[in-house]
Amino acid sequence: AQSVTQLDSQVPVFEEAPVELRCNYSSSVSVYLFWYVQYPNQGLQLLLKYLSGSTLVKSINGFEAEFNKSQTSFHLRKPSVHISDTAEYFCAVTKKGYQKVTFGTGTKLQVIP
Amino acid sequence: DAGITQSPRYKITETGRQVTLMCHQTWSHSYMFWYRQDLGHGLRLIYYSAAADITDKGEVPDGYVVSRSKTENFPLTLESATRSQTSVYFCASSEPRDRVDEQYFGPGTRLTVT
């Protein structure tokens, strides 16, 4: 079975500072990895995903994540956060070719003006 | 409306009552999912469906019933609501042929059981 660990439940950071949200997964088979974002009172939406190929994946709004197979990690980073990045971020994993996704417990990013 | 919708958005019910949460998607996605979101637990899968008339249990199915007679609808029924079922419920859909394994989420239903 696969699992996802997001150790940080809340991460406060000042505006324009860098941020890293940590995600570690466990699985005995090849996986797809995702980061979803949830803005207040909304559903989740996909931020970025790793399926294969380049281990560094990027979103359109400046986030990036790197797949590290040896460390079983998929940390999310942004070099300079904005107030509008305040949201909850979920890391998720699924086995290749499998539709069921396992979500982490989420990390609330609070950007402080 | 295009996309995935849920109704009602907010619901208050009493312990022991039956309540049905509706989910409708317009993309003809084959897969649909029901999750509940609780503080400290993230999202937990209740049930999912691979196609019309095909459903399967997720991580926390007890106390819930689903059906899928049409591809676009996936209602979730709480047969006898309990306080522990107070939660935010999200419906999602995906289509492997379109975007591999990406799930599209509805806006959620906030259910309170008194």
Side-chain angles (χ1 to χ4, degrees), chain A residues 57-109:
Chain A
V57 291
K58 299 182 179 183
S59 73
I60 58 173
N61 59 350
F63 283 95
E64 63 181 35
E66 186 157 21
F67 170 57
N68 188 320
K69 188 174 183 179
S70 63
Q71 297 187 3
T72 59
S73 67
F74 191 55
H75 301 329
L76 182 69
R77 301 182 180 93
K78 189 171 186 180
S80 176
V81 295
H82 190 267
I83 292 290
S84 60
D85 295 324
T86 294
E88 189 159 17
Y89 293 80
F90 292 90
C91 184
V93 64
T94 187
K95 294 187 292 187
K96 288 187 176 181
Y98 200 55
Q99 290 301 303
K100 284 172 61 178
V101 175
T102 300
F103 287 87
T105 51
T107 298
K108 290 186 177 179
L109 174 63

Side-chain angles (χ1 to χ4, degrees), chain B residues 50-61:
Chain B
D53 297 322
I54 301 175
T55 62
D56 205 352
K57 295 178 180 179
E59 183 184 353
V60 288

